[in-house]
Amino acid sequence: MADAKVIPFDDDRSRTGASPRPVRRRPGTGRRKGAAEAVAVREVPVGAVPGQPDREQPGGSAVGAAGAAGAGTAGTGATRETGPVRNAADGGRGAAGEPPVADSDGYGTRGGPGAWDRRLAGGLAFLRRRLTGDYEVDEFGYDKELTDQVLMSLVRPLYEKYFRVDVKGIENIPSDGGALVVANHSGTLPLDGLMMQIAVHDKHPAGRHLRLLAADLVFVLPVINELARKAGHTLACSEDAERLLQQGEVVGVMPEGFKGIGKPFSDRYKLQRFGRGGFVSTALRAGVPIVPCSIVGAEEIYPMIGNAKTLARLLGFPYFPITPTFPWLGPLGAVPLPTKWTIQFGEPIPTDGYPPEAAEDPMLMFNLTDQVREQIQHTLYKLLVQRRSVFF
């Protein structure tokens, strides 16, 4: 036993003079060139502060203890070469408030240089797909990738910072399968539809996409037509709506139409007529639930105090609004007021329990239409009572 060699636990044979044992590696797992230089980032024990005696750091007690045990022994002058270590307790920051340390593959933590590299690479890949035509568009013209990465990103600052939309009852929209969301319409310009679309996508646990049914005027305007198609909007007709619902999509409709967004400010939050109940017939044929939706805050963005009907007829518009700022301030008058919005999705009304011929029953359609309208109106009054201020 006198001539036995003692090998330390960490198998550092360079310290004892023993010949190193060959290392076996599986094919494809060899070290990259220059990996040794990348590993030796800090020659200090883990958990120690440079220039100060070794001590445990907050959130890294276990790692610090292992560093103290694996560091060089007293009198040998050896130090432990540590690779990049991230402290999970402080969000990836090192000791004493050091900046995030990059991973060994070159990508950093959130907000580090690696995150920007990934964003740049993703943006370049997106541009390459757009230029080469390597993207998908459905039969209605909906471009999911463009909508998620560009169109919604352009409108999201209005949703989050300007109107500060508060969403309630988002869990009433099913996680899968078709559903028909029926909402009130207001605001002179149809910004409420865009805010509702972002609310469903950003707040729903399943990240669902809302396919809005738009009026025919939207699809005759030169630029708006293409953007609306790309964003998933389609013509407000029962055939397109039924096809989307049968495909398992969430479809949004605002039955008030131009009567809702073009009503005077004195009639704010008073629902207009819901048409002839065509949306109820569509939901009955598809067998999907109807989800009432109430939007508060859109009525005040453009207080409509007048309507230039003659000018509207000349331009081919359903109305030409006159507000306290438009047209008196020119383009500046088109800036909406920064009101505080609330969007609440109510309890769904099931339709799958009715027989197939129920879609042709006028009395049933009338009753369901009136039920949806009353539920939206009641929720609007309740939200108005709870609201403390239009802007805050």
Side-chain angles (χ1 to χ4, degrees):
M1 298 299 291
D3 57 350
K5 295 181 179 180
V6 179
I7 300 177
F9 178 74
D10 58 1
D11 203 16
D12 192 352
R13 297 173 183 267
S14 61
R15 301 178 187 171
T16 64
S19 59
R21 185 167 52 191
V23 180
R24 295 182 180 179
R25 294 192 181 96
R26 291 179 296 175
T29 60
R31 227 180 195 180
R32 296 194 303 267
K33 183 179 180 180
E37 292 82 353
V39 172
V41 176
R42 292 180 294 169
E43 294 188 354
V44 295
V46 178
V49 180
Q52 298 183 11
D54 295 350
R55 64 172 180 267
E56 295 180 358
Q57 296 301 312
S61 57
V63 180
T73 57
T76 62
T79 58
R80 180 187 175 205
E81 294 181 352
T82 60
V85 178
R86 288 188 293 179
N87 192 339
D90 55 5
R93 300 188 67 85
E98 295 178 8
V101 182
D103 296 329
S104 59
D105 60 356
Y107 294 106
T109 57
R110 184 175 59 182
W116 288 107
D117 292 343
R118 288 195 299 272
R119 290 183 181 181
L120 179 60
L124 293 176
F126 172 78
L127 290 177
R128 179 186 60 80
R129 289 191 297 271
R130 308 312 298 186
L131 294 175
T132 58
D134 186 18
Y135 58 91
E136 296 182 356
V137 177
D138 71 359
E139 56 182 321
F140 298 95
Y142 174 48
D143 191 334
K144 180 179 181 298
E145 184 183 40
L146 181 67
T147 301
D148 291 349
Q149 298 193 22
V150 178
L151 300 181
M152 282 194 175
S153 299
L154 294 176
V155 183
R156 192 169 282 114
L158 278 177
Y159 173 90
E160 295 178 347
K161 306 298 182 182
Y162 199 77
F163 294 135
R164 297 147 292 151
V165 181
D166 184 20
V167 180
K168 301 179 180 180
I170 191 65
E171 67 278 359
N172 290 318
I173 298 178
S175 298
D176 53 12
L180 184 64
V181 179
V182 182
N184 60 305
H185 207 11
S186 61
T188 306
L189 291 181
L191 296 180
D192 49 0
L194 299 178
M195 298 300 107
M196 186 171 61
Q197 186 177 14
I198 296 180
V200 173
H201 179 267
D202 290 359
K203 298 299 182 180
H204 197 278
R208 307 211 62 180
H209 291 78
L210 182 66
R211 307 292 295 271
L212 288 171
L213 302 180
D216 52 358
L217 177 62
V218 174
F219 300 101
V220 299
L221 300 176
V223 179
I224 303 300
N225 170 30
E226 188 68 19
L227 292 177
R229 288 288 185 186
K230 295 291 185 182
H233 305 172
T234 189
L235 189 64
C237 63
S238 58
E239 292 80 9
D240 288 354
E242 187 174 351
R243 286 166 60 192
L244 287 171
L245 291 172
Q246 290 176 349
Q247 293 174 8
E249 299 285 351
V250 179
V251 179
V253 61
M254 296 174 168
E256 291 178 282
F258 290 121
K259 300 186 301 294
I261 58 176
K263 64 177 177 288
F265 187 67
S266 58
D267 293 338
R268 59 191 180 278
Y269 298 115
K270 296 178 182 178
L271 293 182
Q272 305 298 302
R273 191 172 64 90
F274 266 25
R276 291 170 293 182
F279 68 92
V280 172
S281 177
T282 301
L284 287 171
R285 282 194 294 267
V288 299
I290 300 175
V291 181
C293 178
S294 303
I295 304 175
V296 167
E299 294 276 15
E300 294 89 0
I301 60 174
Y302 295 111
M304 186 171 168
I305 59 177
N307 180 15
K309 297 182 179 180
T310 303
L311 186 58
R313 283 194 297 268
L314 292 176
L315 296 176
F317 295 159
Y319 57 89
F320 190 88
I322 298 176
T323 72
T325 59
F326 183 83
W328 326 114
L329 300 182
L332 187 61
V335 178
L337 297 178
T339 59
K340 179 71 172 64
W341 286 36
T342 301
I343 300 178
Q344 179 164 338
F345 298 93
E347 292 287 338
I349 301 174
T351 63
D352 53 355
Y354 295 95
E357 60 273 11
E360 307 300 330
D361 186 351
M363 289 304 299
L364 177 62
M365 286 191 295
F366 175 80
N367 291 334
L368 287 177
T369 301
D370 190 62
Q371 180 182 352
V372 174
R373 187 179 182 278
E374 289 298 323
Q375 187 170 339
I376 295 175
Q377 185 69 80
H378 176 74
T379 305
L380 286 176
Y381 288 149
K382 184 176 65 174
L383 293 175
L384 289 173
V385 171
Q386 296 173 355
R387 186 173 66 168
R388 293 176 297 176
S389 171
V390 175
F391 300 101
F392 304 102

